[in-house]
Amino acid sequence: MTSKTYFIPNIHCMHCVMRIKNRLGEIEGVENVEANVQTREVEVEFSAPATEEAILKALAEIDYPAEV
Ligand SMILES: [Cu+2]
């Protein structure tokens, strides 16, 4: 399992967090998503078939691009 933490500047409230959690949760292989509204950081735990590329793409698609 891989764990990655992303800084997502567009996070402003719990609604943002829920959108991100719901979207990333749809990706097969994503096992856990923790987000912090204060720091605007999202930690994603995933394994195959999920890829970092798919996660970053999904975040960008819902207007929460990660700053890489
Ligand atoms: Cu929000």
Side-chain angles (χ1 to χ4, degrees):
M1 189 180 68
T2 306
S3 177
K4 293 273 180 178
T5 302
Y6 303 108
F7 177 62
I8 302 180
N10 284 357
I11 292 178
H12 298 109
C13 65
M14 285 311 290
H15 174 252
C16 299
V17 166
M18 286 316 295
R19 275 193 71 193
I20 289 167
K21 282 191 169 195
N22 288 340
R23 181 62 189 91
L24 296 186
E26 291 171 1
I27 301 173
E28 195 183 342
V30 170
E31 289 162 24
N32 192 41
V33 181
E34 294 297 333
N36 185 312
V37 175
Q38 268 83 43
T39 63
R40 291 183 259 165
E41 284 179 342
V42 174
E43 183 185 6
V44 187
E45 292 176 347
F46 62 98
S47 33
T51 61
E52 182 168 36
E53 189 184 14
I55 290 164
L56 292 173
K57 185 164 173 259
L59 288 170
E61 279 170 4
I62 58 169
D63 277 327
Y64 291 100
E67 211 164 77
V68 185

